[in-house]
Amino acid sequence: MEHPEKCVLCDQEEETVQHILTSCVFARQFWNQILTPLGFGNSVSGRRDNNFSNWWPKTSKRIPKEKKRKGYNTLIVLGAWLLWKHQNVAVFENASPNLSLLVKIFEEESHLWFLAGAKGLQDLGQARVGG
């Protein structure tokens, strides 16, 4: 199966799992757009954060209250899943990366997760997550 040489989201670097989830400029913009409005702007992955499994726990520890940390972790799981799906659509369906669309999908999906009682999302506040 043919596969692009570079990341289809940024067209700058080799595509790896770590790149897609943390160091890709597209991913960093996505994390910024979903985390900053929730007060987690200091958690946005940086250029040097090239390992999702290191970045996530490091930033999660910065969240002061256990209940808010659960909500934060739920958002990270959702965000990573949606980034991965978005990348797959770009690769396998030849769709163009679309940050605005991805953020909108995140908002819709987080609302559904909130309504379904996802752990900790209620503690982040309905007005902020999915409300």
Side-chain angles (χ1 to χ4, degrees), residues 11 14 20 26 28 31 36 44 62 71-72 84 99 101-102 116:
D11 195 34
E14 179 185 356
I20 293 167
F26 183 92
R28 291 193 322 265
W31 291 122
T36 299
V44 175
R62 293 182 195 156
Y72 173 82
W84 191 260
L99 185 60
L101 176 62
L102 182 58

Coordinates of all heavy atoms in Angstrom, one line a residue, residues 11 14 20 26 28 31 36 44 62 71-72 84 99 101-102 116:
D11 N 3.2 17.9 6.4 CA 4.1 17.8 5.3 C 5.5 18.3 5.6 O 6.2 18.9 4.7 CB 3.5 18.5 4.0 CG 4.2 18.1 2.7 OD1 4.6 17.0 2.6 OD2 4.4 19.0 1.9
E14 N 8.9 13.1 9.0 CA 8.5 11.8 8.8 C 7.3 11.5 9.8 O 7.2 11.9 10.9 CB 9.6 10.8 9.2 CG 9.3 9.4 9.1 CD 10.4 8.5 9.6 OE1 11.5 9.0 9.9 OE2 10.2 7.3 9.6
I20 N 2.6 12.4 15.1 CA 1.2 12.7 14.9 C 0.6 13.3 16.2 O -0.3 14.2 16.1 CB 0.5 11.5 14.4 CG1 0.9 11.1 13.0 CG2 -1.1 11.7 14.4 CD1 0.5 9.7 12.5
F26 N 0.6 20.7 13.2 CA -0.9 20.5 13.1 C -1.4 20.1 14.5 O -2.4 20.6 15.0 CB -1.3 19.6 12.0 CG -2.8 19.4 11.8 CD1 -3.5 20.3 10.9 CD2 -3.5 18.5 12.5 CE1 -4.8 20.1 10.7 CE2 -4.9 18.4 12.3 CZ -5.5 19.2 11.4
R28 N 0.1 20.3 17.4 CA 0.3 21.3 18.5 C -0.8 22.4 18.3 O -1.3 22.9 19.4 CB 1.7 21.9 18.3 CG 2.7 20.9 18.7 CD 4.1 21.5 19.0 NE 4.5 22.5 18.1 CZ 5.2 22.4 16.9 NH1 5.6 21.2 16.6 NH2 5.6 23.4 16.2
W31 N -4.0 20.9 19.8 CA -4.0 20.8 21.3 C -4.1 22.3 21.9 O -4.8 22.5 22.8 CB -2.6 20.2 21.8 CG -2.5 18.8 21.6 CD1 -1.5 18.2 20.9 CD2 -3.4 17.7 22.0 NE1 -1.7 16.8 20.8 CE2 -2.8 16.5 21.5 CE3 -4.6 17.7 22.7 CZ2 -3.5 15.3 21.8 CZ3 -5.2 16.5 23.0 CH2 -4.6 15.3 22.5
T36 N -6.4 25.4 25.5 CA -6.3 26.8 26.0 C -7.6 27.3 26.5 O -7.6 27.9 27.6 CB -5.6 27.7 25.0 OG1 -4.3 27.2 24.7 CG2 -5.5 29.1 25.5
V44 N -0.1 22.6 26.5 CA 0.1 22.3 25.0 C 1.5 21.8 24.7 O 2.5 22.3 25.2 CB -0.2 23.6 24.2 CG1 0.0 23.5 22.8 CG2 -1.7 24.1 24.5
R62 N 0.4 18.5 36.3 CA 0.3 19.9 36.6 C -1.1 20.4 36.9 O -1.3 21.5 37.4 CB 0.7 20.7 35.3 CG 2.2 20.6 35.0 CD 2.5 21.5 33.8 NE 3.7 21.1 33.2 CZ 4.0 21.4 31.9 NH1 3.2 22.0 31.1 NH2 5.2 21.0 31.4
G71 N -10.8 14.8 34.2 CA -11.4 15.4 33.0 C -10.4 15.7 31.9 O -10.6 15.5 30.7
Y72 N -9.2 16.3 32.4 CA -8.1 16.6 31.5 C -7.7 15.3 30.8 O -7.5 15.3 29.5 CB -7.0 17.2 32.3 CG -5.7 17.4 31.5 CD1 -5.6 18.5 30.6 CD2 -4.7 16.5 31.5 CE1 -4.4 18.7 29.9 CE2 -3.5 16.7 30.8 CZ -3.4 17.8 30.0 OH -2.3 17.9 29.2
W84 N -5.7 10.9 15.5 CA -5.4 9.7 14.8 C -6.4 9.4 13.7 O -6.0 9.1 12.5 CB -5.3 8.5 15.8 CG -4.7 7.3 15.1 CD1 -5.4 6.2 14.6 CD2 -3.3 7.1 14.9 NE1 -4.5 5.3 14.1 CE2 -3.2 5.8 14.3 CE3 -2.2 7.8 15.2 CZ2 -2.0 5.3 13.9 CZ3 -0.9 7.2 14.9 CH2 -0.9 6.0 14.2
L99 N -8.0 21.8 10.3 CA -8.0 22.1 11.8 C -9.3 22.5 12.3 O -9.8 22.1 13.3 CB -6.9 23.1 12.1 CG -6.6 23.4 13.6 CD1 -6.2 22.1 14.3 CD2 -5.6 24.4 13.7
L101 N -12.3 21.9 11.2 CA -13.2 20.8 11.2 C -12.9 19.8 12.4 O -13.8 19.4 13.1 CB -13.1 20.0 9.9 CG -14.0 18.7 9.8 CD1 -15.4 19.0 10.0 CD2 -13.7 18.0 8.5
L102 N -11.6 19.6 12.6 CA -11.2 18.7 13.7 C -11.6 19.3 15.0 O -12.1 18.5 15.9 CB -9.7 18.4 13.6 CG -9.1 17.5 14.7 CD1 -9.8 16.1 14.6 CD2 -7.6 17.4 14.5
A116 N -22.7 11.5 28.2 CA -22.7 10.1 28.6 C -22.0 9.9 29.9 O -22.0 8.7 30.4 CB -21.9 9.3 27.5

